[in-house]
Every structure is written in structure tokens, then in C-alpha cells.
Amino acid sequence: MRDGLSPNGTTGTGSGSTGTALSTLFHPRQLSDLWRDIQLSKLIERQLEKERDQLPLWVPVALGFGIACWFNLGTGARWLAFISLCGGIVLFAVTSGGTRLGKALFWFALLAAIGCVLIWLRSWSVAAPVLERPIVTTFNAEIERVEPVLARDMVRLTLSTGDNSGLPPRVRVNVPLDRASPGLQDGALIQLRARLMPPAMPALPGAYDFSERAWFQGLGATGRALGEIRILRAADPVFALSRYRQMLSAHVQSQMAGAAGAIGATLATGDRGAIDEEDAEAMRRSGLAHLLSISGLHVTAVVGAVYLLILKTLALSPALALRFRLPIVAAAGAALAAVAYTLMTGAQVPTIRACVAALLVLVALMMGRSAITLRMVAAGALFVLIFWPESLVGPSFQLSFAAVTAIIALHEHPRIKALLMLREESLMRRAGRFVFALFLTGLVVEIALMPIALYHFHKAGLYGALANIIAIPLTTFVIMPLEALALVLDGFGLGAPLWWLCEQALSSLIALAHFVSSRPGAVTMLPTMPVIAFGLVLMGGLWLCLWREPWRYWGVVPMLVGGLVIATTRAPDLYITGDGRHVAIRNEQGELAMLRNRSGDFIRDMIRENAGVEGEPQALEDWPNATCNGDSCLATVSAGGRDWQILATRSGHYIPALALSATCRRADIVVSERRLPDSCQPRWLKADRNLLSQVGGMTIDLENRQISTALGWTGRHIWTRYRVAASGNAASARPDQ
């Protein structure tokens, strides 16, 4: 007989029948484990059977999971490994015996793999040449899109350069307002001289990555026009819609002065360029910024108003009411209004997404089905992910679908539905119930949106639920109807009184935003959070919203774990931008000190947001623990039980090699925008141009000796332009060191 393994772990020949029998028996612990596994699988099977109507809601979640993994894994080898893992799960599920759990695993893994392949193919399908280095050149181009940005005194042009210019086929150029002639219209052929540069990479880990967005938009360069612009061919009348949009925006701003006119133009045409930065910041801090982005609220207001107007008007005629199904006619008219409003506001992806959702609701109304359901939200999300899978990682997609999902899940809960349902009661009680419903909905939306806002913008408003109780009804039922009616009456010269009323309402909205944003504690700011923590919060929220049975509340567990990780994540001590020019140090009190006094508002705000600091940073030379001269600063930072010496250069002047190498030896970290010689050997890290060109900007946690890099955060995608490190280089810049 063959040698075997006895139950006690010793080998033997198994000469007796007893030994052979014992070798095939389960240990009591193994039996109990198997029984637990069987019981757990039966429990899950029963739960999935109860939730079978909710399973289709996870289709866009599975597809989105694959898309998110593609973005976060960052390399081709990892993408193939993820697809292979999904394939293995699919094969395992096929052999599970046709259980509901097996089918759920099969479809989730298959859709996740499809999502990964879908975004991979999408990234290649939009591939276009990208400018390699900054240049100044003169070229001819056709205008594709004109975006006035009046708050910054400029006009933004998206240009098609053609195939013969030696430039990327699509570029974006900012034109100073005083050089923007009326002839700059969509379809015009122009000649201009401009300074162009490649789309900006993220300056810090977790910072906004414009190069990713530019890649999927087909933009190969951005820049600024120099000198006058010649119009070689006037715009074709076929592009009248764009010109009409600009004329409508100008008309609205001429009827209402200042900030009211700027926001009124935004509601009518989607043109946000005239909104002053102070007003925009107040809207963001008060939780009202969603009113400035043409999306679900605005499209819903237009669709609802047109639907009710057509329905009530046609119902006045008994002949029409008896002969036609007026809800279908009204729904068709509202659908046309939704499409027209989407085109008028520029047909951006968020507006298209809202329009698709509105059309699904109208189709459900025509069919006599329940219109506002989670299945409708899932269908809208699936539509967007199939055609624009890259939108998943953008804040617009996440904010809008999170808000709608949270609202519907709240109002579908049996207890909430019973509490808020209409009933025979006094007017005061009905009004109180309505206000409570608004507050509860706003509170739930704020809770749902807070982690997304903190992840993307590193700040979130705390009083948004209260502000939206006033702002949403004011915008939906007062401002937008007044503005629409005023535009109609302008055709008869009778719109002035309504414009005045609309201006007062908009001024009240702006005053509300400034009041709320100026309250103590109005904004919570946090440093860049770990991706895994954000993912745990999102998955926990989805689990809570998409199921109906009590096991939905298990979603609170990953949400709490993710929230705990976010709350306990230590902010880095040192921030270094990818060009090495800008360095910020954070002290124990959470204050920032910056190397260069003239960093510019964009750089200062970007570093403040990533550090989770609200106050203005001070100059490093004014810091008590730093000594600076015209060429460099040497700062001492206490962290991890020791003092760290940080040397940063801030000029292009020649520094003698002996003096530089001696200073480097006394420093733990050296940062420079120039390429430092090999003789410069600090005790721990040399972040010069050579290293930063390989890994991008970085943040350093000195207490835990952890370095995070932009490359480690984004991965080496097709649009990234980091230099490949030479053998042995950048070893100290691993994100997880």
C-alpha cells in the first residue's frame, strides 16, 4: 500500500484497516468549519432570494468596479491580472451548481472584467498626439467651442488645428477679453500666435489631474494667445446655436446686474464664466454649488414645468381631453424641452446624464409605470458608463448619482414613506411635514455627498442641509420660472418687471450663500484621504442603499471603518510640487509655510486643499525654525522623535559645488527644481529635477517615514508623461516606503 499521512501528522504504511479508515475521517474542527460554511452559504442564498428584485441594481456597480480598478491599478500587467482574476471567479461560479450566489458572483465578475476592458478600449479609442514640451508658435485653426470666462477676463477657445500644423489635432487656448473680437465663433477659421504646453500633470499626490481629463477630451495642448487674432473665415450659420447661446447669456446679464445676472446666465445657458470667484467660493462653502452646474435639478425643473403647463392647458379643452391621452402628449412635449435645454446649455456630460434620466422618467410615465425608482437610476448610470466610462472617477458623476440614490433609498424606506405620505390634516401640519421632508432629504444628501466632496475637493460644507431647504425651492419654484417667463415676455417688451423680481430672488440666494459660508465651522477640511478608505465608504453606502432587507445595515461597518481610517490619517509634513519649485512645510499646529512668496493663487490653494488647511500659508523665511537667503532655505522640522533638516533651493543662481555638497551632507532632505550633482548626498532623500521628473510631486510623512508620489497615486497610464527611472534611481521615493 502507498504511504499516507496519519491523523496525527506522522507518516506510515497503513498496514491495518483502522489506519486507512482514520486517514479518511474529518477532524471534529473540520466538520464544524464545514457546517459553518454550509450554514453561511444557505443564509446568503436565502437573503439573495429575498433580494432578487434588487440584484439588477448591482449591474452598474459591477461595471463601475471594473472601471475603478482600471484607473487605480495603473499598469497593463495589473489590468491583465485583474481580468484573469475575474475570469477565474466566473469559472468558479459556473461550477457552483446554479445557486443564486453563484449566479451573482458570475455576473458581478463578468461585468467587472467588461468594465475594465471597456475603459481600456476607451482610453485607446480617444488617443491623440500630445505636445511634448512648451513651444511658442503661429498656426491656423478652426474654432470648435467658445467659452467666455468673464470673471477671469478671458475667453477660452477649443481649436481644431488639422493634420498639417505639426501640432496636436485639438488644443485649448485662453484669449484675453480685450483681444476677443465678436468674430470668434464656433466654426470660424483663425490665425493666432500662442504659447502652448502639454496638459498639466497632478502637482501633488491626490491633486487634480488635468492630463487625464484632457486625454479623454482629445486635448493635446493648452496655452495662451499672444498678440492679435486674425479671422481667416467667418463662422458658418450652421453653428448659430452656439452664437444664440452666447447672445442669450449676454441678454440675461444685461437684464440683471452683477452677480444676479451671472448666475441667471448660468441657469439659462450653463455659462459659468461670469460668476465672480468670491461668489463661487461662497456657493461651494455653503453647499449650494450644485445649483451652478446644469444637471438634474435644472432639467427636472424644466421638464416638470413644461409637462404641467402642456397637461393643464390641453385639459381645458374637453374635446382634446376625451380624444387624446394628454399625459403622453405632455410627456412628449417635456421630452422635447429637455433635449432643447440640454443643447442650449452646451450638452455637457452631466447635463446629458440628467436629460437621459428625465427621458427615462417620461417613458415610465407614458407606460404607466412608477417613474422615480432605483432601477431608473441604475439604467441612467449604466448608460453613462457604457458611453463615457471615464466619467466614473469624476466628481460630477459621483455627486449626482450619490445624491439621487440616497434620496430615492430614503423615500422608499417603509417608515419614511409612512411618515411623509400625504394625508388629511391641517395646513400647518402639512407645511411642517413638507419642511421636515426637505430638511431630512437635505441632511441625507449632505451625509451622502460629504465623503465624495472631501475626497475630490478636500472640504465639505456642514450647513448645506439647512441652506438647501431655502435654496432648492427658491431656485426651482421661483427663480427658474420667473426667468423663463421673463424671456418669453421679452418678445413683447413686457419682461422688465419679472426680471426685477428674478434679480431680487437671485440676490437673496447669493446673500444666503454668503451668510451660510461665513458662519463659524461652515466648512470641514481634511487632507488627501487614502483611496481604500474612500472605496470602503462608497461600497458601504451602496450596500446600505441598494438592499431592502435588514442585512443592508451591515453597510454601516465598512463606512465606519473607512471613516475611522480617514479621521486617523496623519497629514504629511512636507509638500513638494512636481516641478520642484514649490515646497510647503506643515507644523504641528496645522499651519503651512511656503518656500516662495510669489507662488500664485492656484498653487497656494492647491497645496492648502491637499493639506486640509483653511488659513493662508506664511512665508518660510518668516518661520522661526527656518533660515533663508536669496538662493535657499534651511528648515528644521520636529517629527518622529527627532529633528529633520530640510534644504530647498529657490533660485537658478550658480552655487559652488563644494559649498553645495557640504550643505547637502548636513541635510536630511534636499529639494530643488534644478538637477543637483552627484556630490550632493543628503542623509535621506534628494528630490531634485532628476527624481521629480520620474515620480512627479510628492508628500512626505516624516513621523512614519512614508513618501507618497504622484506616480504612485495615478499609475503609469497612457496619458502620464513621467520619465522611466534608471536602474537604482528613485528607490527612496516609493509611495509605501
Side-chain angles (χ1 to χ4, degrees), residues 570 586-591 638-639:
R570 187 177 185 276
R586 177 179 173 136
N587 62 17
E588 296 178 355
Q589 290 73 39
E591 301 170 337
S638 297

Side-chain angles (χ1 to χ4, degrees), residues 305-343:
V306 173
Y307 180 85
L308 290 176
L309 180 63
I310 295 176
L311 184 64
K312 298 300 182 182
T313 302
L314 295 181
L316 295 175
S317 170
L320 292 176
L322 294 174
R323 184 170 299 179
F324 300 101
R325 293 184 62 186
L326 297 187
I328 295 180
V329 177
L336 291 176
V339 173
Y341 186 60
T342 300
L343 294 175

